[in-house]
Amino acid sequence: MKKEKLKELIGQMTLEEKASFCSGEDFWHTQGLPRLGIPAVMVSDGPHGLRKQDESADHLGLNGSIPAVCFPAGCGLAASFNRQLIQEMGKTLGQECQAEGVSVILGPAVNIKRSPLCGRNFEYYSEDPLVASEMAGALIEGVQSKNVGTSIKHFLANNQETRRMSCSSQVDERALREIYLAAFEGAVTKKKPWTVMCSYNRINGVYAAENKKYLTDVLRREWGFDGYVMSDWGAVNDRVADLEAGLDLEMPSSMGLNDKLIVEAVRNGTLKEETVDQAVERILNIVFRFEENRDKNAVFDRDKDHEQAKQVAEETIVLLKNEDNILPFSENKKIAFIGEFAEKPRYQGGGSSHINSHRVVSALKAARDNTNIIYAKGYLAEQEETDGQLLMQAVQAAKEADGAVIFAGLPDSFESEGFDRTHMSMPECQNKLIEEIARVQPNVVVVLHNGSPVEMPWISRVKGVLEAYLGGQAVGSAAYDILFGKVNPSAKLPETFPVKLEDNPSYLNFPGEKDIVAYKEGIFVGYRYYDKKKMDVLFPFGHGLSYTAFEYSHLKLDSHRIKDTDKLKVSLDVTNTGNRAGKEIVQIYVSDKESTVIRPVKELREFAKVELQPGETKTVSFTLDKRAFAYYNTQIHDWHVESGDFAVMAGRSSRDIVLSEDVYVESTVTIPVHFTTDSTLGDVMENPGARQIVEKLFAESAFGGGQKEEETSPDTVAASDGMMEAMMRYMPLRGILSFGGEAAIGIDQLQKLVDKLNQV
Ligand code: BGC
């Protein structure tokens, strides 16, 4: 609907009516106004399926919703690194929403996986903001192409469930920009989600819902967001302050309580009526965008969408280990499927994203035509302790077979919205089962169902590991097809699997003290930390194997010297050197070779998934811009590149860099200098203009070169020139007064010097 028309409609509303539009009509609907022909429209959870609730509404996934199709959760989707695939899935979700009359699907959820313990990691994409933002962007593009909105969430720095409604994430400006905001930024600026959902928590003391800095200054002014911001369910703390900060829609309904406060505030002059008008306009703009583009022919074809869920799942299962090429198995071999998850896979997480799946295919069901499969339950999913009899039966089955596949992972009770994990282990009975099976059977493969990393104390005793994540309702068929080579695995890890929990950079500060969570690791999240510390990890970020092999060659940069305003074209050839068709995820990292700023060793700046037939070579191209080389400079509050050499690296994973080429990037931005008498000589000397001035002064004064040097024999020299220079580097300018002696400059002259330095 045109802006003028919207304004006209709003002009016909009473203040009370306008206030009522600022919160939901009920749990899942925006406010309607039949007298003006304004419908109440529905929003529903997801986003890896549709959780449309008609009655008994709740935001924790406790009550039922319509039968729908459960796609792989965010953790797995990100492992596909496949934008196209996720976009297609988004189109299907959009279509499902059209068929069900849902105006906005509440996702994608892009919060960074700061700690492996966050209960909602399974919904989130990555420890890396580029991966999170790109995956979210693909989903948004797909859904919205069907004229249904998305709600990128939970904005901002909501990286744990412990005290999620009250805790304050204490994050420094650079980490916010480079990691936590960056996860949203690309998706918001490039793919324009219709809505944004703010989180429950506070950011540096201010609730997300009333955080003007992020809801208005960054989101709208800097990033150009033009939809509406809604609250997470119950995230509103002070409705009037929230409205002023840029929170348009409170969800769910406040039962009229906050509407009254809004009206009162306008009446007593503490809130401008235009602020209310603006929020209503933003909401109605989206309501009508949906209403005016309804697809009356849309159908929710669950069986068809199930097939797509299977295709997606195939690309989300990561082959972590494949010693002696144990996989794929031949269907002629007798294989024991062991573990309750073979029969009842854990394929989605708990909470508001919980889908009422219309069908679930387990690996056992997928194997029904293979008479060489035998099955033993091995353990009970919701139990920590070993069931002796189940263990014995499993060991017996493994002994009788040519190989064993153990389906293991985390039970529902370990991982969910609403609480965090307290450790990174799998249930004791499952670890024991794997150890016992490995004792009697040399060909063991473990298939993991979990939303976040687990410790694998048995890793050296098994030959194969498949990380199936929470792969959606078709996960069993996808896993079966990968195990038996009908599908070639092509996913890679969007996160690091540390050896143990204590290795994680957030370990000392997760989940914080009472309501304070200090993000003391700063920008060093995930591989940015493990790489800098040169730490061994269980499986690195970006790792994932294939049944074929890929070679990288001819990495080319279209220039070896650019300005930070230029774009750099990068290309390389990738060849499938094996004898199966496969897909490779090529990763481009950039490293600042010399920096005065503390930076990660390297950062992922681009990636692409490429499909290759045996023997085939394709050239993959990327374009890097300023952001690929920049860090966030907190002095100028902007992205900045330090002039110098950068390495552009192509890798199969963050720990398997194959090719590297250097480029010199020249900064076009001069950071204003501000020297004081406390500035060190070293800092001053780094600035070429300032250096000239100081050198001249030294040459002329007794303090430096002007002083007559005394004759010294080598053995009486207490400090070499090099040592002197090193010591001087950290001397503040005012030191010239103390150490320059009588012949040095006085206070007035020193101040003049500082003034002169500040003019360079
Ligand atoms: C969750 C959101 C969800 C909302 C509605 C909240 O508890 O944090 O992700 O969309 O409920 O169910």
Side-chain angles (χ1 to χ4, degrees), residues 306 331 337 339-345 347 357-371 373-375 407 473-481:
H306 175 87
E331 281 183 319
F337 276 12
E340 196 180 352
F341 283 164
E343 193 186 346
K344 286 192 207 136
Y347 64 94
S357 305
H358 92 298
R359 182 191 305 163
V360 180
V361 182
S362 66
L364 211 52
K365 206 185 225 175
R368 65 189 170 277
D369 296 332
N370 181 347
T371 49
I373 301 287
I374 52 173
Y375 171 62
F407 293 81
Q473 65 181 47
V475 66
S477 10
Y480 182 88
D481 284 357

Side-chain angles (χ1 to χ4, degrees), residues 343-405:
E343 193 186 346
K344 286 192 207 136
R346 176 149 179 271
Y347 64 94
Q348 66 171 329
S352 61
S353 68
H354 197 92
I355 309 297
N356 176 11
S357 305
H358 92 298
R359 182 191 305 163
V360 180
V361 182
S362 66
L364 211 52
K365 206 185 225 175
R368 65 189 170 277
D369 296 332
N370 181 347
T371 49
N372 287 325
I373 301 287
I374 52 173
Y375 171 62
K377 195 176 249 171
Y379 63 85
L380 295 169
E382 283 301 337
Q383 199 170 289
E384 277 268 7
E385 308 76 44
T386 298
D387 180 312
Q389 199 176 355
L390 291 181
L391 177 66
M392 228 169 63
Q393 287 163 354
V395 168
Q396 191 53 36
K399 269 189 195 158
E400 286 167 18
D402 300 317
V405 182

Side-chain angles (χ1 to χ4, degrees), residues 167-443:
C167 71
S168 177
S169 303
Q170 306 294 122
V171 201
D172 67 72
E173 186 183 1
R174 188 170 161 209
L176 270 170
R177 288 289 182 166
E178 292 189 21
I179 307 289
Y180 298 99
L181 282 163
F184 290 85
E185 186 180 358
V188 170
T189 55
K190 291 192 275 185
K191 306 298 175 180
K192 309 227 164 289
W194 290 9
T195 81
V196 169
M197 187 191 291
C198 80
S199 54
Y200 288 120
N201 55 291
R202 289 177 286 166
I203 304 119
N204 295 324
V206 183
Y207 278 108
E210 60 198 51
N211 211 313
K212 180 165 172 297
K213 184 166 174 186
Y214 299 111
L215 294 188
T216 296
D217 300 348
V218 173
L219 190 61
R220 290 192 188 276
R221 299 210 177 117
E222 273 187 45
W223 296 352
F225 172 68
D226 62 0
Y228 70 78
V229 177
M230 72 174 93
S231 71
D232 198 344
W233 268 232
V236 163
N237 172 51
D238 175 342
R239 187 61 188 106
V240 174
D242 293 0
L243 204 54
E244 279 177 325
L247 180 91
D248 306 300
L249 177 67
E250 173 183 4
M251 285 303 282
S253 163
S254 72
M255 306 294 176
L257 283 180
N258 282 335
D259 306 358
K260 279 204 191 93
L261 293 182
I262 293 172
V263 171
E264 246 171 62
V266 172
R267 295 249 153 86
N268 68 25
T270 47
L271 176 70
K272 289 199 193 112
E273 190 159 356
E274 296 93 84
T275 308
V276 184
D277 291 358
Q278 192 183 48
V280 179
E281 186 182 322
R282 288 173 182 156
I283 296 164
L284 292 187
N285 182 32
I286 299 299
V287 166
F288 283 108
R289 195 182 289 175
F290 173 68
E291 271 304 303
E292 291 171 355
N293 293 289
R294 288 303 308 275
D295 177 358
K296 299 271 164 358
N297 300 320
V299 283
F300 188 169
D301 184 341
R302 290 169 174 76
D303 291 338
K304 184 160 151 263
D305 298 353
H306 175 87
E307 289 313 311
Q308 191 183 4
K310 194 226 164 200
Q311 261 178 31
V312 177
E314 287 170 0
E315 291 209 29
T316 62
I317 299 179
V318 194
L319 178 58
L320 291 178
K321 179 172 180 180
N322 198 18
E323 202 178 307
D324 304 334
N325 290 328
I326 175 103
L327 289 177
F329 283 130
S330 153
E331 281 183 319
N332 298 326
K333 292 266 191 273
K334 185 168 180 181
I335 304 292
F337 276 12
I338 294 169
E340 196 180 352
F341 283 164
E343 193 186 346
K344 286 192 207 136
R346 176 149 179 271
Y347 64 94
Q348 66 171 329
S352 61
S353 68
H354 197 92
I355 309 297
N356 176 11
S357 305
H358 92 298
R359 182 191 305 163
V360 180
V361 182
S362 66
L364 211 52
K365 206 185 225 175
R368 65 189 170 277
D369 296 332
N370 181 347
T371 49
N372 287 325
I373 301 287
I374 52 173
Y375 171 62
K377 195 176 249 171
Y379 63 85
L380 295 169
E382 283 301 337
Q383 199 170 289
E384 277 268 7
E385 308 76 44
T386 298
D387 180 312
Q389 199 176 355
L390 291 181
L391 177 66
M392 228 169 63
Q393 287 163 354
V395 168
Q396 191 53 36
K399 269 189 195 158
E400 286 167 18
D402 300 317
V405 182
I406 305 169
F407 293 81
L410 298 178
D412 279 320
S413 57
F414 272 47
E415 206 181 22
S416 165
E417 178 178 341
F419 58 90
D420 293 317
R421 284 197 284 165
T422 52
H423 58 76
M424 221 177 86
S425 316
M426 293 187 351
E428 190 41 48
C429 60
Q430 296 192 28
N431 282 335
K432 181 162 180 188
L433 174 73
I434 297 171
E435 298 277 0
E436 294 299 320
I437 299 291
R439 245 186 254 282
V440 299
Q441 172 54 258
N443 299 318

Side-chain angles (χ1 to χ4, degrees), residues 317-323 325-327 329 404-406 408-409 426 434 443-450 454-469 482-483 489 491 493 497 538-539 543-547:
I317 299 179
V318 194
L319 178 58
L320 291 178
K321 179 172 180 180
N322 198 18
E323 202 178 307
N325 290 328
I326 175 103
L327 289 177
F329 283 130
V405 182
I406 305 169
M426 293 187 351
I434 297 171
N443 299 318
V444 176
V445 171
V446 177
V447 177
L448 291 171
H449 294 282
N450 45 306
V454 290
E455 287 166 358
M456 302 182 201
W458 34 259
I459 189 68
S460 61
R461 321 258 320 250
V462 304
K463 286 193 174 164
V465 180
L466 273 181
E467 175 53 76
Y469 278 116
I482 287 179
L483 286 169
L493 290 180
F497 275 45
L538 185 54
F539 294 108
H543 167 78
L545 305 171
S546 164
Y547 294 153

Side-chain angles (χ1 to χ4, degrees), residues 9 37 70 76 84 104 136 153 179 207 219 260 321 447 460 467 473 539 556 561 566 638 667 680 683 746-747:
L9 269 183
C70 181
Q84 189 62 35
V104 173
K153 66 189 185 182
I179 307 289
Y207 278 108
L219 190 61
K260 279 204 191 93
K321 179 172 180 180
V447 177
S460 61
E467 175 53 76
Q473 65 181 47
F539 294 108
K556 286 191 199 120
R561 193 180 177 97
D566 295 336
D638 200 357
S667 172
T680 65
D683 288 346
I747 290 183

Side-chain angles (χ1 to χ4, degrees), residues 28 45 51 58-59 106 120 153-154 164 197 200 232-233 352 417:
W28 297 119
D45 266 319
R51 187 173 82 98
D58 76 288
H59 65 300
L106 303 175
R120 268 184 115 164
K153 66 189 185 182
H154 310 85
R164 68 170 169 162
M197 187 191 291
Y200 288 120
D232 198 344
W233 268 232
S352 61
E417 178 178 341

Side-chain angles (χ1 to χ4, degrees), residues 697-698 701-703 733 736-738 740-753:
L697 173 87
F698 280 7
S701 77
F703 186 69
L733 288 177
I736 301 177
L737 298 177
S738 321
E742 278 169 31
I745 61 176
I747 290 183
D748 292 350
Q749 273 169 299
L750 179 64
Q751 195 48 57
K752 275 192 194 132
L753 169 70

